[in-house]
């Protein structure tokens, strides 16, 4: 089995713990050189070799429209648990998104597959540490409803690798760079031990997510250069074409610059660009 076939098989697993372990095993096998990447294999060939519905996910949480996900006060333990659950769900989806990038897109440089497998491993680590924290708080993954916005964009961009790189890592996932410090500020103002722990765990996630968004930025620009596209205006075209969310300030400009956003791109987001 190749790395891309194994990624497809891991993507179809429904049990979160089994998916996490499959990602860890796949990463180890790639490091040890016991699996080939096989960039030339078509998605159809990989699908036949590793069948199964995607993404594989457990029966719970129940998935609802984003407007149906209740806003809960973080001044209660249940509200803070709901917040942690939401991030756990994001991390589970992020594992799937990274695995999907590995198996779905043929003909990319080997580093593309290594990069996204690294992202899958780090997202699996995030899922694990946050879920352990949620269990310590008295809840588990599936106890609250969730929405499917991240995966919905993954499906929309399944046939367009340029759009995938533009609209998943550097749009939807990059929103976390803006939102996380604001969440941490609220949590750190609370005396509750679980709130302090959550804020500390988010430090690790923010650090790693800067790297993940940087990977998205790198490959988006690489693809634009390959295809003779102007990256900044083409991003706007993709936002329109795929009805992606329009991002609104305030932006964490320092984190976005660390993740590779140029000033022209930040100006575009602020409505001052091309």
């Amino acid at each position: 089995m190749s790395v891309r076939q194994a990624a497809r098989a891991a993507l179809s697993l429904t049990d979160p713990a089994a998916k996490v372990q499959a990602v860890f095993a796949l990463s180890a096998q790639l490091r040890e050189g016991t699996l080939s990447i096989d960039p030339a294999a078509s998605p159809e060939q990989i699908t036949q070799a590793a069948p199964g519905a995607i993404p594989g996910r457990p029966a719970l949480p129940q998935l609802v429209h984003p407007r149906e996900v209740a806003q809960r006060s973080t001044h209660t333990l249940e509200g803070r648990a709901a917040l942690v659950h939401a991030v756990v769900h994001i991390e589970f989806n992020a594992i799937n998104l990274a695995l999907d990038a590995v198996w779905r897109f043929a003909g990319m440089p080997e580093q593309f597959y290594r990069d996204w497998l690294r992202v899958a491993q780090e997202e699996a680590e995030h899922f694990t540490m946050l879920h352990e924290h949620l269990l310590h708080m008295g809840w588990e993954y599936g106890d609250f409803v969730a929405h499917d916005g991240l995966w919905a964009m993954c499906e929309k961009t399944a046939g367009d690798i340029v759009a995938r790189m533009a609209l998943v890592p550097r749009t939807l996932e990059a929103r976390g760079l803006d939102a996380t410090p604001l969440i941490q500020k609220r949590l750190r103002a609370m005396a509750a031990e679980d709130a302090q722990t959550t804020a500390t765990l988010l430090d690790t996630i923010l650090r790693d997510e800067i790297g993940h968004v940087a990977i998205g930025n790198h490959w988006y620009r690489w693809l634009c250069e390959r295809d003779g596209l102007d990256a900044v205006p083409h991003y706007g075209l993709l936002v329109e074409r795929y009805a992606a969310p329009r991002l609104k300030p305030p932006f964490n400009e320092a984190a976005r610059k660390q993740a590779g956003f140029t000033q022209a791109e930040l100006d575009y987001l602020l409505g001052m660009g091309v």
Side-chain angles (χ1 to χ4, degrees), residues 3-259:
V3 166
R4 293 177 62 217
Q5 289 170 347
R8 174 63 176 76
L11 182 60
S12 70
L13 294 173
T14 58
D15 178 65
K19 192 187 296 280
V20 164
Q21 290 306 310
V23 169
F24 291 160
L26 178 51
S27 296
Q29 289 173 308
L30 182 60
R31 286 194 303 272
E32 294 161 3
T34 56
L35 285 178
S36 64
I37 291 178
D38 194 11
S42 71
E44 292 76 17
Q45 291 170 319
I46 292 169
T47 302
Q48 292 169 4
I54 60 168
R57 49 192 168 195
L60 295 174
Q62 178 187 358
L63 299 178
V64 299
H65 191 278
R67 287 195 294 268
E68 295 178 49
V69 179
Q71 296 294 314
R72 301 169 187 261
S73 171
T74 52
H75 291 286
T76 68
L77 177 60
E78 184 176 16
R80 294 192 297 275
L83 170 64
V84 174
H85 185 278
V87 184
V88 168
H89 181 64
I90 289 170
E91 299 302 328
F92 182 74
N93 269 294
I95 299 170
N96 288 334
L97 292 169
L99 291 172
D100 191 82
V102 172
W103 83 267
R104 185 176 297 278
F105 299 112
M108 291 294 285
E110 283 201 7
Q111 191 59 44
F112 175 87
Y113 305 104
R114 292 182 183 277
D115 281 348
W116 287 110
L117 189 56
R118 181 194 121 198
V119 172
Q121 176 174 333
E122 290 179 354
E123 303 291 19
E125 291 167 357
H126 297 170
F127 175 87
T128 301
M129 70 182 189
L130 281 165
H131 193 228
E132 287 174 355
H133 178 45
L134 184 63
L135 290 170
H136 185 71
M137 294 174 72
W139 284 265
E140 64 180 322
Y141 183 46
D143 283 349
F144 299 92
V145 299
H147 69 79
D148 204 24
L150 271 174
W151 187 260
M153 184 56 71
C154 185
E155 290 185 332
K156 282 185 182 181
T157 58
D160 186 344
I161 188 173
V162 181
R164 172 67 65 83
M165 294 298 107
L167 302 178
V168 175
R170 67 193 307 270
T171 298
L172 297 183
E173 293 186 274
R175 294 167 89 176
L177 305 186
D178 308 320
T180 300
L182 302 177
I183 294 169
Q184 289 177 294
K185 184 177 180 180
R186 292 208 319 267
L187 293 171
R188 286 185 168 133
M190 300 176 185
E193 181 181 352
D194 67 89
Q196 298 299 316
T197 300
T198 301
T200 300
L201 292 175
L202 290 176
D203 282 334
T204 299
I205 290 175
L206 179 59
R207 179 201 69 205
D208 290 347
E209 292 301 335
I210 288 172
H212 301 171
V213 175
I215 288 171
N217 272 324
H218 168 76
W219 289 109
Y220 173 66
R221 293 200 190 95
W222 185 92
L223 288 159
C224 285
E225 184 175 346
R226 182 194 71 176
D227 296 346
L229 302 168
D230 190 335
V232 178
H234 190 66
Y235 174 77
L237 292 174
L238 292 171
V239 169
E240 294 290 341
R241 183 178 301 161
Y242 291 95
R246 292 184 172 275
L247 305 183
K248 298 177 181 179
F251 298 117
N252 185 346
E253 292 194 28
R256 283 179 174 268
K257 285 179 178 177
Q258 277 186 269

